[in-house]
Amino acid sequence: MTTLPLEPATVSSASASHTWLRRIHSGGQIVETCPDWCTDTHRNDESGYLDDLQHGAQFDGLELAVFDAEHGTMPMPVLAGRINVDPYSSDSRRCVPHIHLEPFQGEVMECLTPNEFAAAIAQVRAHCDRLEAVHAQLMKARAEYR
């Protein structure tokens, strides 16, 4: 799976649509075509169950140095995710492009709509504003501590 660089308000799209003949496990076949933004290779999607197909584009998260008791400080991705669509899903939320957001590694917020994703972004932005206030408070505390 390709991981895309995180750029302001964009996720890079694939250069051309990928089309292939897909054999369906229960019999028959179908021609599949990726959306323009899909960067998945689909190497393992030439056959299988119809609803196993996903199209997507990964986006990297910010890496923060986090302490790990066994390994010392290690980079940990924060706010990584994927634009995703499961075109044959029985879940209507998955049949349209949506966001899977990983606030931190191993945890996911699934099937975010554009409005839900915007709300998450606003929450993170507001928290960063609060962190800047804490930073100013820390600078003041250090200056007074000397």
Side-chain angles (χ1 to χ4, degrees), residues 18-124:
H18 178 147
T19 300
W20 73 100
L21 183 64
R22 185 166 177 237
R23 287 168 190 57
I24 307 305
H25 179 73
S26 59
Q29 56 191 21
I30 189 170
V31 174
E32 296 287 0
T33 301
C34 289
D36 289 340
W37 50 266
C38 179
T39 59
D40 291 345
T41 63
H42 297 289
R43 283 188 194 119
N44 298 319
D45 288 334
E46 291 182 3
S47 65
Y49 294 98
L50 194 60
D51 62 355
D52 285 345
L53 181 69
Q54 291 186 355
H55 295 290
Q58 298 287 124
F59 56 90
D60 290 336
L62 168 69
E63 286 198 348
L64 296 176
V66 176
F67 177 73
D68 178 85
E70 288 185 32
H71 302 98
T73 302
M74 297 179 57
M76 177 72 67
V78 178
L79 300 174
R82 173 178 169 87
I83 297 174
N84 199 63
V85 66
D86 307 81
Y88 303 107
S89 176
S90 59
D91 183 342
S92 62
R93 298 172 308 148
R94 293 179 178 277
C95 291
V96 295
H98 55 274
I99 294 288
H100 287 323
L101 182 65
E102 292 184 29
F104 49 93
Q105 192 170 11
E107 299 299 327
V108 67
M109 297 169 69
E110 286 191 321
C111 295
L112 297 179
T113 66
N115 287 342
E116 291 168 335
F117 188 42
I121 292 166
Q123 286 179 301
V124 169

